[in-house]
Amino acid sequence: PRGLRAHFAFFGEVASVAISSNNQRYVAALLELQRLRREWRRTHEEFARNAAALSLAEPHTLLRSMEAAAARHQRRAILQRLERLLRKMLTCGVRLRAAAAAPASCTGHAFVTFVHAAS
């Protein structure tokens, strides 16, 4: 940035220089993690509703006990989905940290702010 600051000083006193970098891998991993977290919340809410419905079921009749068995089966399926989501979130977190630590190439764009606006 010092070299760029000196280059643009020709046009006036430079307040700051920022360089654009290619962080596409980082942004893609961040968006994927956000998507997975939204899916995690929805699935967790579904699990909570299922658990509440299961606790309200009164197995006094054969139909009620069949409904409870179906709810328990559904609960196991939801738990398996939660486990898969957790594994995906952990993997995505590793990709996100790796992308954040990796050097990003410059895109060739610089953003320059001057102390005084030209009239």
Side-chain angles (χ1 to χ4, degrees):
R2 285 193 186 123
L4 289 174
R5 183 182 290 266
H7 174 76
F8 286 103
F10 172 78
F11 300 103
E13 187 179 352
V14 176
S16 66
V17 176
I19 301 170
S20 174
S21 60
N22 182 0
N23 57 0
Q24 186 176 0
R25 284 185 20 215
Y26 178 78
V27 171
L30 186 61
L31 291 173
E32 175 69 9
L33 186 58
Q34 288 175 340
R35 184 192 68 75
L36 288 170
R37 285 180 176 166
R38 281 192 305 271
E39 191 175 345
W40 169 269
R41 280 193 298 276
R42 283 193 303 271
T43 307
H44 197 269
E45 289 167 358
E46 182 183 352
F47 179 79
R49 283 192 304 272
N50 179 273
L54 190 58
S55 68
L56 294 176
E58 299 175 16
H60 293 284
T61 65
L62 179 61
L63 179 61
R64 292 271 188 203
S65 62
M66 289 172 62
E67 288 173 350
R72 282 192 296 275
H73 177 73
Q74 184 180 11
R75 185 176 183 171
R76 279 192 297 273
I78 295 169
L79 277 174
Q80 289 173 348
R81 282 195 344 246
L82 283 170
E83 288 173 357
R84 281 193 302 271
L85 279 171
L86 183 57
R87 282 192 298 272
K88 286 180 182 180
M89 287 169 57
L90 291 172
T91 302
C92 190
V94 169
R95 278 197 330 267
L96 183 65
R97 284 189 295 281
S105 61
C106 180
T107 62
H109 298 281
F111 303 94
V112 182
T113 306
F114 295 96
V115 174
H116 302 287
S119 12

